[in-house]
């Protein structure tokens, strides 16, 4: 695969301050849903009466395509207009509910979500919204600030994680993000994140809404089991809503764009330390604005 050349990164947020914070840390937290909207969405999920196993469950895993579409639409009706106010032109990638049942099975390991855009130019984004208050007891999200820029390794369900060799150190750097019901954690899908087990006696319910900049192409990476070559597919925006019930299989939709040899380079301890150091420098030397126009300031930085 050709090496990526770093270019000016496309703006995501309409607000320049949010864009700067997102670029620096890989996430922002902001209020998004009111109490009525939270109650409406929670009732919509409960009416579906999902019978699912213990631990973590996404409604995108459901084989019931009709029900899955209905749940996605009820989320979109409320969240999409708010996203349109926050973000520059974007392509939605789908939405779903996430349930974390009580017990240790719901713990999510440190990971990064799949590479689905050219990350030298764009960020793929997840809006994660809990439908009740979340904290360390019921499985709030944990993040490593700035880690969306720590590695350029491609990520896919067919590729090994680049984080395995330093997972114990990464765990020490996780920061909990407690949220009130209806608040949103908006994060880059390249951000290193996790969540602890739900230690309460009630399920933890959240929802997600994914998006990419409108001008970004959407990709999926697959490893051919016969040749061990990596294959890059161009896929439609609806791909991930369908593929979540087929994980582990060769994509059934999409166009093969490229075949190339690819070996995962694990993130080493020294590279991780250097990345953390650079992030700290960026935080310490965050510029005081010198332009009146926020867009000019963002471009200059």
């Amino acid at each position: 695969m050709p090496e990526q050349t770093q270019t000016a990164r496309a703006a995501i947020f309409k607000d320049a301050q949010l864009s700067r914070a997102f670029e620096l840390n890989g996430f922002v937290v902001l209020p998004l849903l009111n109490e009525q909207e939270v109650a409406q969405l929670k009732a919509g999920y409960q009416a579906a009466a999902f019978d699912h196993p213990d631990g973590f469950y996404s409604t995108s895993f459901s084989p019931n395509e009709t029900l899955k579409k209905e749940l996605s639409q009820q989320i979109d009706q409320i969240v999409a207009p708010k996203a349109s106010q926050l973000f520059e032109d974007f392509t939605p990638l789908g939405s779903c509910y996430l349930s974390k049942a009580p017990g240790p099975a719901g713990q999510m390991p440190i990971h990064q979500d799949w590479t689905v855009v050219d990350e030298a130019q764009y960020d793929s984004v997840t809006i994660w919204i809990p439908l009740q208050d979340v904290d360390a007891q019921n499985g709030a999200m944990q993040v490593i600030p700035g880690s969306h820029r720590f590695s350029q390794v491609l990520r896919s369900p067919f590729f090994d994680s680049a984080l395995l060799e330093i997972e114990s150190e990464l765990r020490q750097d996780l920061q909990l993000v407690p949220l009130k019901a209806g608040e949103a954690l908006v994060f880059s899908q390249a951000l290193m994140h996790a969540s602890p087990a739900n230690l309460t006696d009630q399920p933890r319910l959240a929802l997600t809404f994914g998006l990419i900049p409108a001008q970004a192409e959407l990709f999926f990476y697959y490893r051919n089991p016969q040749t061990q070559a990596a294959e890059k597919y161009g896929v439609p925006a609806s791909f991930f809503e369908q593929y979540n019930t087929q994980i582990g299989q060769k994509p059934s939709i999409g166009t093969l764009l490229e075949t190339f040899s690819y070996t995962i380079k694990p993130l080493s301890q020294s590279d991780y330390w250097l990345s953390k150091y650079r992030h700290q420098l960026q935080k310490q030397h965050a510029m005081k604005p010198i332009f009146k126009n926020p867009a000019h300031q963002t471009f200059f930085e």
Side-chain angles (χ1 to χ4, degrees):
M1 182 180 182
E3 290 187 5
Q4 296 177 334
T5 301
Q6 192 72 31
T7 59
R9 191 172 296 275
I12 299 175
F13 292 93
K14 293 180 178 179
D15 182 275
Q17 288 186 328
L18 286 177
S19 288
R20 286 197 293 269
F22 184 91
E23 174 60 29
L24 177 63
N25 292 315
F27 71 95
V28 296
V29 173
L30 43 83
L32 202 67
L33 305 180
N34 60 38
E35 290 184 11
Q36 181 179 356
E37 291 164 338
V38 168
Q40 181 179 340
L41 288 165
K42 188 182 293 186
Y45 172 82
Q46 292 170 343
F50 266 88
D51 179 19
H52 56 76
D54 290 342
F56 173 84
Y57 182 81
S58 168
T59 55
S60 65
F61 299 159
S62 172
N64 186 331
E65 294 296 332
T66 300
L67 177 59
K68 187 162 61 175
K69 185 175 181 179
E70 290 174 356
L71 293 174
S72 179
Q73 288 175 342
Q74 72 184 20
I75 294 172
D76 292 347
Q77 287 175 356
I78 293 176
V79 177
K82 297 176 183 292
S84 295
Q85 294 175 358
L86 282 171
F87 298 98
E88 300 289 357
D89 291 344
F90 65 84
T91 301
L93 300 184
S95 52
C96 62
Y97 289 94
L98 306 175
S99 176
K100 181 182 290 234
Q107 179 175 340
M108 290 294 291
I110 301 170
H111 67 284
Q112 299 167 284
D113 296 332
W114 303 342
T115 306
V116 299
V117 294
D118 176 1
E119 292 184 345
Q121 300 183 67
Y122 306 106
D123 283 284
S124 52
V125 176
T126 293
I127 306 174
W128 188 91
I129 309 169
L131 298 182
Q132 71 281 305
D133 296 354
V134 290
D135 54 26
Q137 290 300 303
N138 64 349
M141 292 279 280
Q142 301 166 307
V143 301
I144 299 179
S147 60
H148 62 313
R149 302 289 183 252
F150 287 5
S151 171
Q152 296 183 341
V153 170
L154 294 176
R155 307 176 306 277
S156 161
F158 296 93
F159 298 162
D160 293 333
S161 169
L163 310 180
L164 298 178
E165 292 185 4
I166 57 170
E167 186 171 354
S168 59
E169 180 158 356
L170 295 176
R171 188 156 295 281
Q172 297 176 28
D173 291 335
L174 285 172
Q175 296 183 15
L176 191 77
V177 186
L179 297 173
K180 298 293 185 182
E183 286 188 310
L185 173 65
V186 182
F187 65 95
S188 166
Q189 293 180 0
L191 186 72
M192 299 175 193
H193 60 286
S195 65
N198 179 1
L199 304 178
T200 71
D201 59 0
Q202 297 295 320
R204 186 221 69 189
L205 184 63
L207 60 84
T208 64
F209 181 98
L211 61 94
I212 60 174
Q215 64 270 40
E217 295 180 83
L218 193 64
F219 305 124
F220 180 78
Y221 291 91
Y222 170 77
R223 191 180 295 282
N224 188 306
Q226 278 75 44
T227 65
Q228 292 302 305
E231 298 178 352
K232 177 181 179 181
Y233 288 82
V235 296
S238 61
F239 173 81
F240 297 102
E241 291 184 294
Q242 301 174 44
Y243 188 73
N244 274 352
T245 58
Q246 305 167 7
I247 293 175
Q249 302 177 31
K250 183 176 181 177
S252 59
I253 58 174
T255 303
L256 178 61
L257 302 177
E258 185 180 359
T259 299
F260 56 96
S261 176
Y262 192 72
T263 302
I264 296 296
K265 179 185 177 183
L267 185 63
S268 68
Q269 188 178 64
S270 59
D271 285 341
Y272 178 61
W273 285 350
L274 180 58
S275 295
K276 285 201 300 180
Y277 176 69
R278 287 172 174 162
H279 179 245
Q280 288 301 318
L281 286 181
Q282 289 173 339
K283 289 176 64 177
Q284 293 170 10
H285 295 89
M287 296 183 196
K288 293 182 179 180
I290 60 176
F291 294 96
K292 292 182 178 180
N293 186 318
H296 294 167
Q297 179 68 27
T298 299
F299 178 77
F300 180 71
E301 292 182 16

